[in-house]
Amino acid sequence: MTDAFDVLVLGAGSGGYACALRAAQLGLTVGLVEKSRLGGTCLHVGCIPTKALLHAGEVADAARDAARFGVRASLDGIDMVGVNTYKDGVVSRLFKGLTGLVASRGITVIEGTGTLVGPRRVQVGDTTYEGHSLVLATGSFARSLPGLEVDGERVLTSEHALALDHVPSSVVVLGGGVIGCEFASVWRSFGADVTIVEALPRLLAAEDEASSKALERAFRKRGIRFMTGTPFQGVTHTDAGVAVTVEGGEVLEAELLLVAVGRGPATEGLGFEEQGVVMERGLVTVDERLRTGVEGVYAVGDITPGLQLAHRGFAQGIFVAEEIAGLDPAPIDESSIPRVTYSHPEVASVGLTEAAARATYGDDGVETVTYDLGGNGKSQILQTQGFVKLVRRADGPVLGLHLVGDRVGELVGEAQVVYGWEAFPDDVAPLVHAHPTQSEALGEAFLALAGKPLHAHQ
């Protein structure tokens, strides 16, 4: 086995394996170091298994609510062994496909923990590997709070939660961001009592305020309790589970506490700083071309400042491979990266929130329109509620698109094209959307923003 490569990639998650595959496609020799399994967090303990659970929850809700559609059915219960078999099967098939793809491209997979021992040298076990270019893609880990001990039994991270063999009777979810809202949603679908504790003023605080309010209304209707603007103070074990104390002294008792306060960069103890890589709060500092400042060393994915999203890391990995190969790719526009929370209902967005747009262009420089899904035929068929909200610069292009409702995550592709196109409402309004589809809601919203609404909007 050679110990020298054109490109040496440290970490085989979404960013690392995408970089490796694209570099190999461009004719470069590639070494890919991974301490666990190809695919990283997203495939094994993140995006894929959580969305499989959410789909199982959707099936449970469909059975529970079947009478609404004139179907005689009942929900007998949740078989978590069966749910996990389904979930693990999805992961296994994707893992097998990825493993075969990496092997077919002639990429050398190096199993073990890699540590930087030179500017572009990585030691794995007793062997040192060198790359003409080095790509850092070591990913992230589930954070906790100072003094909050995660035991994996009563106090869990999302990784522990994915391995549960039963539906908890009650859960306190610490954190009302994407991970917290998704687990709250699935556990409620499975029949658990759920309370979310969030220190910030609203759920999904990074999203447009209207989207947050819509999700909060939907969660309230589903019986998901949430406490916003409420910092966590402590947790103790009880005979039945946990007792969670929040600011103000209220104590919440539940079987489990899920710690969903975000993810931190997995960079500690890997030799980055010792080799001159500039770091800030554990994150690797990069320029718009994802260069670290050490010649020939790049960084992608969750270890770089910005959104911690698998598709962002994937795009960055491809960008770096093309950069190394001399193709001079265009830098990634961070604001064009779509965001989706796969709760029930879903929340999706791309571009600026209304508040961010007004902060940049002033109140008079921004226009918005909201089209309610109540006027959309397919949404009525699906019995989902929500909206499409558009934010534009006055007499200018669309700055942000925000969607709430079941399945709207599938609409964010068109929203991303509109945003990336810097489209004006009159550019999009003439486009014909198939009927009946939820994508028509985007079309109707653009008709309204172009000054020619055909149906009711607010």
Side-chain angles (χ1 to χ4, degrees):
M1 180 188 297
T2 180
D3 63 355
F5 302 92
D6 294 328
V7 183
L8 182 59
V9 183
L10 185 55
S14 301
Y17 83 70
C19 183
L21 288 171
R22 182 65 176 132
Q25 190 177 52
L26 292 170
L28 303 173
T29 60
V30 181
L32 182 58
V33 181
E34 174 53 52
K35 66 179 181 180
S36 182
R37 292 171 291 180
L38 294 178
T41 292
C42 172
L43 176 55
H44 298 285
V45 291
C47 321
I48 298 301
T50 55
K51 279 48 173 182
L53 285 186
L54 283 156
H55 182 64
E58 183 182 353
V59 173
D61 287 331
R64 187 183 289 114
D65 300 334
R68 281 202 299 165
F69 305 95
V71 177
R72 292 174 183 162
S74 61
L75 179 63
D76 295 335
I78 304 297
D79 171 17
M80 280 307 298
V81 173
V83 170
N84 287 331
T85 298
Y86 150 69
K87 165 180 65 71
D88 295 343
V90 172
V91 172
S92 178
R93 287 189 294 276
L94 291 171
F95 175 59
K96 183 178 179 181
L98 178 59
T99 302
L101 183 60
V102 167
S104 73
R105 293 278 172 86
I107 295 166
T108 301
V109 177
I110 302 159
E111 297 181 5
T113 299
T115 305
L116 267 64
V117 293
R120 292 189 298 279
R121 290 204 307 277
V122 173
Q123 185 167 332
V124 184
D126 297 327
T127 308
T128 300
Y129 300 88
E130 194 162 348
H132 184 265
S133 296
L134 174 65
V135 182
L136 309 177
T138 48
S140 59
F141 64 92
R143 282 189 192 275
S144 186
L145 294 176
L148 176 53
E149 183 181 344
V150 174
D151 61 17
E153 294 180 4
R154 296 186 186 183
V155 181
L156 314 179
T157 66
S158 57
E159 295 185 23
H160 301 122
L162 285 168
L164 281 181
D165 60 2
H166 70 288
V167 177
S169 58
S170 55
V171 189
V172 172
V173 177
L174 181 56
V178 174
I179 297 170
C181 286
E182 289 186 349
F183 272 98
S185 186
V186 73
W187 274 328
R188 186 61 186 150
S189 294
F190 286 170
D193 290 327
V194 181
T195 303
I196 303 171
V197 175
E198 171 56 60
L200 293 174
R202 52 191 172 90
L203 300 182
L204 298 184
E207 294 290 348
D208 190 86
E209 187 173 355
S211 297
S212 292
K213 288 181 177 178
L215 183 69
E216 288 175 358
R217 283 194 300 271
F219 273 14
R220 200 176 289 118
K221 190 174 180 180
R222 292 184 61 196
I224 297 173
R225 185 185 180 204
F226 54 89
M227 304 170 71
T228 53
T230 308
F232 165 87
Q233 286 195 329
V235 60
T236 57
H237 286 209
T238 66
D239 291 342
V242 293
V244 179
T245 305
V246 298
E247 190 172 83
E250 184 172 352
V251 178
L252 310 171
E253 295 198 3
E255 181 183 336
L256 298 174
L257 170 64
L258 173 68
V259 182
V261 294
R263 297 185 65 83
T267 55
E268 190 174 346
L270 299 178
F272 291 4
E273 285 186 291
E274 290 83 347
Q275 299 306 321
V277 175
V278 176
M279 313 276 287
E280 186 173 349
R281 291 178 291 113
L283 293 165
V284 178
T285 301
V286 292
D287 64 12
E288 68 170 7
R289 306 201 73 78
L290 304 176
R291 296 173 295 203
T292 65
V294 177
E295 186 178 355
V297 180
Y298 302 80
V300 302
D302 287 359
I303 62 171
T304 64
L307 296 169
Q308 291 180 315
L309 298 170
H311 46 282
R312 173 179 180 259
F314 188 87
Q316 288 180 327
I318 293 171
F319 173 90
V320 165
E322 294 181 350
E323 177 79 355
I324 291 168
L327 300 185
D328 193 29
I332 296 167
D333 176 6
E334 292 275 325
S335 62
S336 73
I337 297 171
R339 308 171 291 271
V340 185
T341 302
Y342 296 88
S343 49
H344 168 43
E346 292 182 352
V347 177
S349 63
V350 64
L352 299 182
T353 64
E354 179 180 348
R358 292 191 186 282
T360 302
Y361 299 103
D363 285 342
D364 294 337
V366 173
E367 297 175 9
T368 70
V369 70
T370 300
Y371 179 82
D372 195 293
L373 291 187
N376 176 256
K378 186 60 178 285
S379 296
Q380 284 294 311
I381 292 167
L382 296 173
Q383 295 283 279
T384 188
Q385 297 177 326
F387 59 76
V388 172
K389 177 178 178 178
L390 306 179
V391 180
R392 75 174 294 197
R393 206 169 74 216
D395 299 322
V398 175
L399 302 171
L401 302 93
H402 305 275
L403 308 99
V404 178
D406 290 339
R407 305 191 186 183
V408 297
E410 300 299 331
L411 299 183
V412 82
E414 180 177 347
Q416 182 187 25
V417 170
V418 168
Y419 178 83
W421 181 15
E422 295 184 347
F424 283 61
D426 286 332
D427 294 327
V428 184
L431 299 179
V432 180
H433 292 81
H435 177 74
T437 64
Q438 285 183 298
S439 70
E440 286 180 286
L442 274 171
E444 292 275 1
F446 275 102
L447 282 168
L449 197 58
K452 43 188 176 184
L454 293 189
H455 295 96
H457 69 283
Q458 61 186 42

